[in-house]
Amino acid sequence: RLLQGHRGGINDVYVTPDGCRVISCGDGTLRVWNPSINQCPEEVVGAARGVACMSISPDGQTLVSGHYNETLRIWNLHSNKCLHTFRGLSERATWVSVAPDGKRAVSGGRDGAIYVWGLANRRCEHFLKMHTGHISGIKIMLDGRRAISASFADKVLHVWDIESGRC
């Protein structure tokens, strides 16, 4: 099957846990697809131009997207509505990961900064500066208590505690 609709490069793609929808980001948009019927994509209204990265909660109900304008957004995937916008990132997010319980997300940026976000309380819980530059990957481990981050710049991986923000 061929899913067409993006007018520019695609940065990331996820399949919802139930396999019924595909979400892609790039060319300044978030798009929701129904791959079983090649349905035209639904463009998520309100997604700021320049969607750099995203992650979906394990229950498939929430999406967190990182934007080129130094914001992170929480989306309800049933209504495709933005629930909250986090502002004040020091640089655009290059990676984001949602915890297995869906209560937190972590993001990393080009400047090596890492943020731990409370999705329920909608606040930044930790700001960490472990890396010297560009975060090239970040994932929350299955235990939901630890995360691992990687950097192009310093060529190391850090495994750290989400609660305390310490390695």
Side-chain angles (χ1 to χ4, degrees):
R1 296 196 188 274
L2 184 64
L3 302 175
Q4 293 180 302
H6 281 285
R7 293 174 295 283
I10 298 168
N11 295 333
D12 211 345
V13 63
Y14 273 87
V15 178
T16 56
D18 62 9
C20 293
R21 291 181 294 169
V22 172
I23 295 93
S24 58
C25 71
D27 71 7
T29 66
L30 283 171
R31 294 180 181 267
V32 180
W33 309 77
N34 181 336
S36 64
I37 59 172
N38 283 356
Q39 181 181 357
C40 283
E42 179 180 338
E43 187 171 329
V44 176
V45 176
R49 293 196 53 82
V51 184
C53 58
M54 64 181 175
S55 182
I56 296 177
S57 63
D59 64 8
Q61 295 183 31
T62 304
L63 179 137
V64 178
S65 58
H67 299 259
Y68 289 109
N69 65 353
E70 290 91 32
T71 63
L72 221 65
R73 294 181 180 207
I74 306 171
W75 300 90
N76 177 307
L77 283 178
H78 293 293
S79 66
N80 292 342
K81 300 282 187 235
C82 180
L83 303 175
H84 185 72
T85 301
F86 293 109
R87 300 184 191 286
L89 280 75
S90 56
E91 177 63 69
R92 74 170 169 91
T94 53
W95 285 88
V96 64
S97 178
V98 176
D101 64 7
K103 294 180 180 176
R104 286 191 172 115
V106 295
S107 67
R110 293 188 323 166
D111 61 354
I114 295 173
Y115 296 84
V116 178
W117 305 98
L119 298 184
N121 64 21
R122 297 189 174 147
R123 64 183 184 92
C124 179
E125 296 180 353
H126 294 291
F127 170 80
L128 312 169
K129 190 72 170 157
M130 293 183 219
H131 295 284
T132 60
H134 189 164
I135 302 296
S136 54
I138 195 164
K139 294 291 180 192
I140 297 178
M141 295 182 170
L142 290 178
D143 65 11
R145 294 184 313 233
R146 295 173 297 148
I148 187 164
S149 55
S151 171
F152 283 127
D154 54 26
K155 302 170 189 70
V156 298
L157 299 168
H158 285 285
V159 178
W160 45 278
D161 181 86
I162 291 175
E163 282 290 324
S164 69
R166 288 185 288 237
C167 283

